[in-house]
Amino acid sequence: MRLHLIRHPKPLIEAGICYGRHDCPAEDTASAAAMLLAELPAGLPLWSSPLRRCRDLAELLHPQPVIDNRLAEMNFGAWEARRWNDIPRVELDAWAADIAGYAPPGGESPRQLQRRALDFVASLDVPEAVIVTHAGVIRTLLAHWQGLPPERWTELNFAYGSCTRVDVPR
């Protein structure tokens, strides 16, 4: 199965804010959509995260995007919409010590995010699809398919509004 994994455009949020599930719009979705439409194959089914920064783009790319909660960004719980500098250092250190397994208070771990994203992909029954989602979702999926250990997950970076193509074995 071929997947076109699209990261949403840059969020309209102040720099330095933890914004995983925080529902904010994105910058210039129309320009991102025009660029992506020029490179995507026509007529593919499209799924999107429910968060506005993805959903707004998805609606410009497809007349009937399917919204799926499993494509939402990581739930940062008590860290959501807080400045990274205001998050207790001990919590950030605990996350750094267990990058895949640590869950912020009231949130989810990257490993939990990965499980729900993989569950979503396993539910697809199409030869090719477009998915509008977040860096965390794309990162954990590619890390799984590439067999990367958690300490290397942060090496996978994706530009805002970019499309990463991947062939997923069935």
Side-chain angles (χ1 to χ4, degrees):
M1 169 174 46
R2 173 163 278 193
L3 299 178
H4 304 266
L5 303 171
I6 296 173
R7 184 181 185 195
H8 59 77
K10 185 177 181 186
L12 287 169
I13 192 165
E14 187 179 332
I17 302 289
C18 176
Y19 63 87
R21 290 280 179 96
H22 183 70
D23 203 9
C24 54
E27 291 180 359
D28 202 6
T29 53
S31 291
M35 180 193 71
L36 290 162
L37 283 169
E39 66 179 80
L40 289 170
L44 294 178
L46 185 146
W47 281 265
S48 176
S49 160
L51 298 177
R52 186 172 169 196
R53 58 192 182 266
C54 291
R55 193 181 67 242
D56 289 351
L57 177 61
E59 290 170 351
L60 293 172
L61 295 174
H62 195 279
Q64 295 182 311
V66 178
I67 305 302
D68 195 300
N69 290 334
R70 294 173 292 180
L71 295 172
E73 183 58 286
M74 188 171 126
N75 180 353
F76 283 95
W79 296 1
E80 289 288 341
R82 290 179 63 189
R83 295 190 158 288
W84 285 103
N85 290 340
D86 294 340
I87 296 169
R89 184 82 233 163
V90 66
E91 293 176 16
L92 292 173
D93 289 345
W95 188 22
D98 185 8
I99 197 72
Y102 180 81
E108 70 181 327
S109 71
R111 183 79 71 202
Q112 290 169 313
L113 163 64
Q114 184 182 57
R115 278 196 294 273
R116 71 174 157 81
L118 287 167
D119 178 61
F120 166 78
V121 172
S123 75
L124 294 177
D125 190 21
V126 295
E128 191 169 6
V130 176
I131 299 170
V132 181
T133 190
H134 308 270
V137 172
I138 299 169
R139 179 176 295 117
T140 60
L141 286 172
L142 290 179
H144 173 78
W145 294 324
Q146 293 176 11
L148 292 178
E151 60 272 12
R152 293 196 49 211
W153 290 7
T154 57
E155 295 172 14
L156 300 171
N157 294 298
F158 313 94
Y160 291 115
S162 66
C163 181
T164 301
R165 285 165 194 77
V166 61
D167 290 317
V168 180
R170 290 254 184 198

